[in-house]
Amino acid sequence: MHPQKQIAEMVVSALQSAIASNSLPEIGEVAPSVERPKQAEHGDYSTSVAMALASSMRMAPREIATEIVESVAPTSMVQDVSIAGPGFINFKLNDEWLRSQIHVIREAGVEFAHLDVGAGQSIQVEFVSVNPTGPLHIGHVRGAAIGNGLANILDAAGYDVQREYYVNDAGNQMRIFAESAYVRFLQAAGKDAELGAESYPGEYVVELGAELYSELGNAVADLDADEAMEAISAPALDRTLANIRGTLERMGIEYDEWFSEKSLIAGDDFDDSLKLLEERGYVSEREGALWFLGTKIDLESDSVIIRSKERGPSYFGTDIAYHYNKFVKRGFDRVINVWGADHHGHVARMKAVVDSLGVDPEKLTIIINQIVNFKKGDETVRFNKRKDNFIAADELLDAVGPDACHYIFLERTPGTHMEFDLELAKAETSENPVFYVQYAHARLCAVLRAASERGIEFEDGDVSLLTTHQELALMRRLNELPDVIARSAEMLEPHHMPHFAYEVARELQRFYEACRVISSDPADAEITKARLLLVDAARIVLAGTLNIMGMNAPERM
RNA sequence: GCCCCCGUAGCUCAGUGGAUAGAGCACUGGUCUCCGAAGCCAGGUGCGUGAGUUCGAUUCUCACCGGGGGCGCCA
C-alpha cells in the first residue's frame, strides 16, 4: 500500500477510535483527503479532515485535530504528527523508515512501487486507432504516448491491462483509399488513370501503388476494375498497417490486439448489438435508414446506424457494435478510449450508446488529446492528412527520438493545446528536460561503474550513515513513486510521471553535488558504501519511472 | 446559432477545495584538486474579467471576454 493511503487509513482508524471513546461525535463514513504540503516544514503528508468535519461535528477544527492526533496509533513509518494553522494535521516520515526503504527498493526493484489498487480489474486502453489510409503523422504521436503511458501506469497499479488498436478496415474512407491506391497502381503500370476529387493525393499512395505493381504486376493491372480493386485492397491495407505498426514499434509500443472493424460485421457483433438496442427501444427506421434514438437519452439528435441496405452501416453503427463487443462480449470492467480532438463531438453520443446498451457509462472513459501545434521557428505548421502537407511521425522520431516524444507529449495534460517547436527540438537539445532526466540516470550508472571498477562492494553498507539534508530529500522523493503511480492511475493522468522523473533527477543532482559518493579517502569507506546503496536505489526508481513512460534509461550518453 | 477544450511569470507548461501559487527556457552573477559541469547555487514578476457557493476558490457554479476545435447517411 502506498504511503499516502496508509496515512489516510491511519486517520480513519484514529477517527474511529476517538469516536468509540466518545471524544468525538458519531458521524458517517469519512474519506480523508491526504495531500503533500507545499512547504517542507508542514511535513511529508497533511490532511485537512478536521476542518472538513468542523461543521458536521459542531466543533472547532483544532479541537477535532487534537482528538485525532491523540488517537493516532504509532507506526514505524511516521515519526511525528502535529497540528498546525487552522487545523491541519501534519505527518512527518521517520528517517529510519526512509533509510530502510533503500533496502526495500533494492530487493523488490521498481515493483516496490507496484500497487493493488486495480485489484486485477480488466481495463482496456484503446489508442491511436488511426485509419489505415497512410502513415502516422506527427499529430498522432501524442495519442500514442498518452495511451501507452496510461496503459503502463495502470499495469503498475495492478489492473489487468489490454492495449488495443481499432483498425478501421471497413467503410467509406477505406474504399476511397483503396481506389486511390488502385489509381496509383494503374499509373505505375503505365496506364491512364486519374485521382477522383476525394482521393488521397499523398506521396505515400504513389509509392504504395508502385510497390503493389511490382508485387502483383500486369496480371492484376489487366483485370477489370472491380476485380483489380478486390485484389489490391487487402495488400494495400496490409502494407499500410505494417507501416503504422513499424512506427509504433519504434516508439516501443506493443499492442495486445489489432481489432478489425470488418470482423464486427462479418461476425455477430453488429447484428447482436442492433438486436439489443432494438429490444431496449433505441432504434427506429426512417427515410430508408436505421436510426439510433439518441434523443431518448438527452442527446440533441438521432444518428444513423445503417445508411441503407446497399450502403450498409455508418461508422457510428460499427462503433456501437465495437463497444458492444468491448463491454458485453469481452466484458471489460473499464474501457479507456484515447481520441484526438477532432472526435470530441462523438463523446457524448458514445457514452449514450453504452448507456443504452445497458452498461454503466461510467465504465467508459474517453480521453481527448488536443491538437498539437507544430512550429518551425515562428511559423505554425498545419496538418491535414487528406491534403498532402503532413509530416510523417517517422520524421519526428528521426529528428528528436522516441524518448523525447514520449517525454514531451506525456508532460502536458491531454487537454492543453500544446506547442511543439520542431526546430527547437532538433537544434537545442539541452533545453529538453528529457536529456536532463536521462543524464541523471546515466550519471548514476557512471558512479556505479566507477565503484565496480575500483572493486568496491557495498552490499553490507550501513544506511543509517545517510543523514544529510540532500540524502534524506532524495530518499523522500524516491518513496513518492507509489503515490505518484496511485494518483496517475486513479485520475488517469499520465503527466505526473514525467514531472516526478524530473523531480527525482533534480534531487539526484543536488545530492550528487553535495555528497561525494566514491571517496579516495580510506576514512570514508563506510559512507561510500552507504551512498552507493542510495545511488543504486535511485537508479532503480528513475529507470522504472522512465520505463513506465515508455522511455529508455540509458547507462551512457 | 449550439457543443467541447483552453486562458497561471516575457515564452512553454505544472498546480488533489487548503497554509507563503511553482518548474523549465530565456536573462544576470557566482561555482570544477578525485565518482560525467549536459551539472549546482543565487537573483522576480503572474491566476482573462465579474458575480456566486464555501470557514477557505487558480481549483466548483454561472455570465462575459479572448484563443482553438467540432456540429455529415465521412472516419
Side-chain angles (χ1 to χ4, degrees):
Chain A
M1 192 175 8
H2 50 295
Q4 194 164 26
K5 192 171 176 192
Q6 288 183 56
I7 300 280
E9 296 203 347
M10 282 173 69
V11 172
V12 169
S13 343
L15 261 170
Q16 283 167 347
S17 76
I19 289 167
S21 63
N22 290 319
S23 307
L24 289 174
E26 191 79 42
I27 40 126
E29 288 264 310
V30 178
S33 76
V34 174
E35 63 195 51
R36 301 198 142 262
K38 290 165 191 152
Q39 252 72 32
E41 57 267 31
H42 295 147
D44 295 298
Y45 295 94
S46 169
T47 179
S48 60
V49 70
M51 281 120 87
L53 291 174
S55 67
S56 63
M57 286 186 164
R58 300 176 173 277
M59 286 174 70
R62 288 192 67 108
E63 276 182 61
I64 299 172
T66 304
E67 296 300 333
I68 294 174
V69 168
E70 282 177 3
S71 301
V72 165
T75 70
S76 63
M77 186 175 84
V78 173
Q79 177 174 313
D80 182 59
V81 187
S82 60
I83 302 167
F88 292 101
I89 303 172
N90 296 332
F91 298 80
K92 190 174 180 303
L93 292 175
N94 187 305
D95 290 350
E96 277 307 314
W97 180 83
L98 278 170
R99 292 185 192 103
S100 72
Q101 287 296 102
I102 291 174
H103 297 306
V104 172
I105 294 168
R106 292 190 68 246
E107 278 159 32
V110 71
E111 287 173 23
F112 97 95
H114 284 199
L115 309 170
D116 59 359
V117 299
Q121 272 192 79
S122 65
I123 187 164
Q124 183 200 58
V125 184
E126 182 218 321
F127 59 109
V128 184
S129 298
V130 171
N131 275 354
T133 57
L136 296 182
H137 69 70
I138 51 181
H140 298 133
V141 180
R142 187 178 193 182
I146 290 171
N148 183 57
L150 207 48
N152 290 348
I153 288 163
L154 291 167
D155 192 46
Y159 287 89
D160 179 13
V161 180
Q162 201 243 22
R163 298 139 206 266
E164 182 151 308
Y165 189 116
Y166 182 47
V167 181
N168 293 102
D169 52 7
N172 206 35
Q173 294 302 326
M174 202 56 224
R175 182 182 53 77
I176 295 170
F177 175 67
E179 283 168 6
S180 308
Y182 179 51
V183 168
R184 297 305 194 190
F185 171 86
L186 289 177
Q187 290 172 343
K191 305 197 175 210
D192 284 339
E194 290 291 327
L195 288 180
E198 287 186 309
S199 300
Y200 289 88
E203 189 60 31
Y204 167 77
V205 190
V206 178
E207 292 166 16
L208 179 64
E211 284 177 26
L212 291 172
Y213 179 66
S214 68
E215 183 180 313
L216 303 171
N218 287 324
V220 170
D222 294 335
L223 294 173
D224 63 51
D226 284 349
E227 285 175 322
M229 279 278 295
E230 180 90 24
I232 270 180
S233 51
L237 175 68
D238 288 347
R239 282 173 178 274
T240 308
L241 270 181
N243 183 308
I244 290 171
R245 201 185 301 243
T247 302
L248 292 166
E249 277 170 6
R250 277 186 75 184
M251 291 182 71
I253 296 174
E254 285 179 21
Y255 285 91
D256 299 303
E257 180 75 34
W258 293 72
F259 192 95
S260 157
E261 181 185 6
K262 267 187 191 165
S263 74
L264 293 166
I265 302 161
D268 298 331
D269 292 307
F270 186 78
D271 293 339
D272 290 351
S273 65
L274 209 54
K275 204 194 295 175
L276 182 56
L277 281 186
E278 272 166 2
E279 282 166 13
R280 299 177 59 89
Y282 287 104
V283 175
S284 115
E285 204 168 338
R286 188 197 316 159
E287 298 154 28
L290 197 69
W291 294 74
F292 171 71
L293 302 180
T295 46
K296 278 185 81 168
I297 32 176
D298 279 357
L299 291 183
E300 288 190 357
S301 60
D302 297 338
S303 306
V304 168
I305 300 173
I306 300 178
R307 297 175 286 188
S308 68
K309 272 242 161 60
E310 302 72 42
R311 293 191 299 159
S314 66
Y315 82 96
F316 175 65
T318 51
D319 248 9
I320 293 173
Y322 185 35
H323 285 78
Y324 167 84
N325 175 282
K326 291 186 186 204
F327 286 108
V328 181
K329 270 275 181 61
R330 284 189 277 173
F332 286 110
D333 295 318
R334 294 182 67 190
V335 169
I336 296 167
N337 296 344
V338 179
W339 287 353
D342 53 337
H343 287 66
H344 82 246
H346 192 43
V347 172
R349 201 163 57 162
M350 211 60 243
K351 299 269 279 189
V353 162
V354 170
D355 197 3
S356 68
L357 287 169
V359 174
D360 179 2
E362 291 294 311
K363 289 183 169 184
L364 174 66
T365 303
I366 295 168
I367 293 176
I368 298 291
N369 62 87
Q370 283 295 332
I371 305 279
V372 183
N373 283 320
F374 289 89
K375 288 175 70 180
K376 284 182 172 175
D378 292 332
E379 184 196 351
T380 297
V381 189
R382 293 241 152 248
F383 300 95
N384 182 341
K385 189 160 59 150
R386 294 176 201 179
K387 303 200 177 77
D388 191 19
N389 62 351
F390 66 89
I391 295 181
D394 281 336
E395 292 176 58
L396 182 65
L397 296 177
D398 291 341
V400 303
D403 285 344
C405 288
H406 282 295
Y407 190 99
I408 291 170
F409 283 120
L410 277 185
E411 190 186 16
R412 270 72 168 192
T413 57
T416 56
H417 306 266
M418 61 173 288
E419 292 208 351
F420 195 117
D421 192 316
L422 295 163
E423 284 185 358
L424 207 64
K426 281 183 196 174
E428 300 285 339
T429 51
S430 65
E431 289 180 8
N432 194 333
V434 67
F435 290 99
Y436 179 81
V437 172
Q438 290 186 316
Y439 174 75
H441 182 267
R443 189 180 236 182
L444 291 176
C445 293
V447 172
L448 292 169
R449 272 197 305 273
S452 166
E453 282 161 14
R454 296 173 200 204
I456 302 172
E457 298 281 344
F458 56 90
E459 287 297 326
D460 61 342
D462 176 7
V463 292
S464 70
L465 299 174
L466 303 172
T467 56
T468 66
H469 171 73
Q470 288 82 5
E471 287 160 336
L472 287 164
L474 178 55
M475 290 181 243
R476 286 200 148 74
R477 193 63 74 181
L478 301 182
N479 274 298
E480 266 184 56
L481 180 58
D483 290 339
V484 174
I485 290 174
R487 183 175 174 207
S488 302
E490 184 188 351
M491 309 291 289
L492 302 176
E493 289 179 342
H495 73 276
H496 301 297
M497 301 305 297
H499 290 282
F500 173 72
Y502 194 88
E503 292 303 324
V504 171
R506 182 209 298 277
E507 222 59 80
L508 270 169
Q509 302 285 25
R510 287 177 179 155
F511 157 75
Y512 182 85
E513 293 295 326
C515 304
R516 178 84 211 167
V517 178
I518 300 173
S519 168
S520 46
D521 185 343
D524 293 333
E526 287 307 311
I527 188 73
T528 288
K529 291 204 283 189
R531 284 176 175 163
L532 283 168
L533 288 172
L534 176 57
V535 164
D536 194 41
R539 177 190 62 78
I540 289 166
V541 169
L542 189 52
T545 304
L546 292 174
N547 291 340
I548 288 174
M549 292 164 62
M551 294 171 64
N552 295 296
E555 295 181 8
R556 287 191 168 82
M557 293 179 74

